Amino acid sequence: MTASKKTKDQAERALLLVNIGQLLTLRSASAKPGPRRGPELKELGIIEDGAVLCVGGKIVSVGRTKDALRDPWLKRNRKRVIEIDCEDQVVVPGFVDSHTHPAFVKPRLVDFEKRIAGASYEEIAEAGGGIRSSVESVRAASKSRLAEKVSDALHEMAEQGTTTVEAKSGYGLTVESELKSLEAIRDAAARWPGTVIPTLLGAHVVPKEFQGASKNYVGLVCEEMIPHTARRKLARFVDVFCERGAFTIDDTVKIFEAASKHGLSVRGHVCQLSKCELSRFLDFNPASLDHMDYVSDADIARLAQRDTIATLVPGANYFLGQGHYPPARTLIDAGVPVALATDYNPGSSPTSSMPVVMSLACTHMQMSPAEAIAAATVNGAWALQLQNRKGSIEPGKDADLAVFEAEDYREIPYWFASNRCAFAVLNGTLVASGGSGELA
Ligand code: NIG
Ligand code: FE
């Protein structure tokens, strides 16, 4: 049977999870529209002894096990339903990893050792390492080799409970190799049962051959990369690394203008290594602004009034050995909607694990386990403009679930770096953890 036929059959089959110790629906107690902010981040909508019925890749009912088993449809169709007993397990919405860079070939081990010896991320980049040192191997790689690397990452993510992934290009930095990276992401996505949202990050850094001519490179991004990407529907978003040593605020505005002109939404890497004024970006209604380590109080006040998500990626702070972390408490307490993501990439955050990121958020950013779970699910969905389909376990939403060996949801960030995810459901398809691939 072909992979796509198998996936289709599984999605059409019905799946019933019963006797769930704790089912975290993430349903909001209030009817307030918009992403979760402030105390709303703690609303997990927990059902004990819960059940979820999924049919055709969608969630159709959610409640207590005893009520689910009385359902007349279920009584009639019991034979075609795969039933799984989730006693002593916790079920959460599949994680939405809303910031990843999987289109690369090799790890950056030289940078890793240089940092251990005391060099900073920026010093390494200035000396020819950093993002630019990942470019040659991506330009030389075939599309299928790149797609294989993306596939490996997606499978690793699913084994840890991630069911939706934003995937950026950004290590090709020519029209041809950025489009090749986006095609590789598309091809890997077609083989994975979860959901992938592609992003063009042609403006990751100015490539060597444009050094001293960054305006020309910005022109290439605006006049060639973006139009080709949009015409071929290879990306949903355009991203820019706005930072000293990468692109300026003016460059970023130009790129956002070109993206909007071609019907693509925008998101940005901002305030990672230095301060940056965000007000001009807000006119473009970015779905998300990411990193935010050096965000100003004035911008925090502005963001508290908007639905743009502040996506925090503490894996990067951890891996770069920076003694500080993004100001999650200040952002949350001011009413800014925050999400958590891995920032999976070879330079600053080589982790595919949302539970590890949630653990860092708890231990280094004073987020509670409940806040971390909401930031990794419902607000991640907002960061990708997928809030109507993803991020909570409610009838009508996509059947995306992560099942953990735990009696209490707080164990998810507590047991750090040991994978307790038993299996995940991605658009109705079961994927077991532990290398065994798809179940049933
Ligand atoms: O989000 N800061 C820009 N991009 C990545 C790092 C990419 C790399 O070093 O390869 C980040 O941290
Ligand atoms: Fe990033």
Side-chain angles (χ1 to χ4, degrees):
M1 201 186 286
T2 63
S4 65
K5 168 90 170 66
K6 197 169 148 208
T7 303
K8 190 162 171 279
D9 286 354
Q10 286 186 10
E12 276 167 7
R13 243 180 279 163
L15 186 67
L16 177 68
L17 272 53
V18 287
N19 303 324
I20 301 166
Q22 281 186 339
L23 168 61
L24 275 58
T25 65
L26 272 289
R27 238 179 80 111
S28 171
S30 69
K32 238 165 94 197
R36 300 294 169 84
R37 30 184 122 233
E40 295 161 4
L41 270 173
K42 296 193 181 122
E43 293 172 9
L44 299 181
I46 300 181
I47 299 176
E48 275 168 18
D49 194 9
V52 187
L53 176 64
C54 307
V55 182
K58 295 280 176 194
I59 294 166
V60 297
S61 73
V62 181
R64 299 286 300 266
T65 299
K66 64 173 177 12
D67 301 325
L69 295 178
R70 278 198 222 113
D71 183 285
W73 181 92
L74 190 65
K75 283 188 173 154
R76 281 198 308 278
N77 291 277
R78 202 71 186 259
K79 276 211 186 82
R80 59 176 277 237
V81 175
I82 300 172
E83 191 172 312
I84 302 178
D85 191 325
C86 297
E87 204 186 333
D88 296 329
Q89 290 178 319
V90 172
V91 176
V92 298
F95 300 129
V96 179
D97 191 348
S98 60
H99 180 147
T100 85
H101 305 247
F104 64 88
V105 180
K106 291 196 250 177
R108 290 222 299 271
L109 305 176
V110 174
D111 292 10
F112 184 43
E113 285 197 316
K114 280 191 178 165
R115 243 183 346 267
I116 293 165
S120 73
Y121 182 75
E122 281 178 290
E123 285 162 353
I124 293 167
E126 276 159 28
I131 295 165
R132 284 187 197 94
S133 61
S134 287
V135 165
E136 202 181 313
S137 54
V138 167
R139 287 183 183 173
S142 66
K143 190 182 9 178
S144 62
R145 172 87 183 113
L146 258 187
E148 239 173 68
K149 300 301 285 184
V150 177
S151 275
D152 291 349
L154 293 174
H155 284 289
E156 222 179 273
M157 288 168 180
E159 292 198 339
Q160 297 168 94
T162 297
T163 57
T164 300
V165 175
E166 183 258 11
K168 305 176 199 291
S169 65
Y171 295 108
L173 311 183
T174 60
V175 176
E176 188 201 352
S177 53
E178 284 298 303
L179 295 179
K180 176 179 71 180
S181 300
L182 290 171
E183 286 170 350
I185 289 168
R186 177 200 60 197
D187 294 353
R191 300 197 288 262
W192 192 59
T195 302
V196 176
I197 303 296
T199 293
L200 171 68
L201 178 56
H204 202 181
V205 78
V206 177
K208 257 203 324 260
E209 61 277 15
F210 278 86
Q211 234 160 18
S214 62
K215 301 297 159 221
N216 296 349
Y217 186 68
V218 171
L220 184 78
V221 171
C222 295
E223 284 146 38
E224 295 199 40
M225 278 183 201
I226 290 174
H228 283 301
T229 299
R231 196 170 320 120
R232 298 184 49 205
K233 297 192 179 359
L234 284 171
R236 181 97 56 96
F237 290 98
V238 170
D239 194 345
V240 180
F241 183 22
C242 180
E243 187 58 71
R244 56 187 186 208
F247 296 90
T248 64
I249 292 180
D250 282 345
D251 296 336
T252 306
V253 167
K254 274 198 195 109
I255 294 166
F256 282 3
E257 277 167 357
S260 307
K261 185 172 137 200
H262 287 89
L264 297 171
S265 302
V266 302
R267 53 201 314 107
H269 283 69
V270 298
C271 306
Q272 179 182 7
L273 306 168
S274 61
K275 287 192 178 135
C276 164
E277 251 262 30
L278 303 180
S279 56
R280 290 175 66 198
F281 304 154
L282 296 181
D283 298 339
F284 297 91
N285 275 324
S288 175
L289 292 172
D290 301 17
H291 284 281
M292 294 288 200
D293 295 51
Y294 292 96
V295 63
S296 70
D297 291 345
D299 284 331
I300 290 177
R302 288 187 187 101
L303 287 164
Q305 306 304 318
R306 314 182 68 103
D307 288 351
T308 293
I309 304 291
T311 299
L312 312 179
V313 291
N317 301 68
Y318 163 77
F319 190 72
L320 296 180
Q322 295 164 321
H324 62 88
Y325 280 81
R329 246 337 347 127
T330 311
L331 289 161
I332 294 170
D333 296 344
V336 178
V338 303
L340 289 168
T342 60
D343 195 8
Y344 174 77
N345 78 74
S348 68
S349 190
T351 181
S352 53
S353 170
M354 287 294 281
V356 163
V357 166
M358 291 155 69
S359 190
L360 288 173
C362 294
T363 56
H364 291 264
M365 288 154 56
Q366 294 77 47
M367 285 175 71
S368 69
E371 290 172 329
I373 285 180
T377 55
V378 66
N379 276 6
W382 274 90
L384 297 181
Q385 298 172 335
L386 291 177
Q387 63 275 8
N388 297 329
R389 285 171 53 198
K390 309 282 183 188
S392 64
I393 303 177
E394 296 181 85
K397 285 209 168 178
D398 294 345
D400 290 346
L401 311 168
V403 181
F404 280 83
E405 299 295 357
E407 286 179 16
D408 186 306
Y409 72 86
R410 290 171 294 189
E411 294 180 56
I412 296 173
Y414 173 90
W415 299 109
F416 81 96
S418 59
N419 187 20
R420 301 246 164 170
C421 180
F423 65 93
V425 178
L426 300 87
N427 290 308
T429 297
L430 260 163
V431 173
S433 288
S436 53
E438 288 171 22
L439 275 182

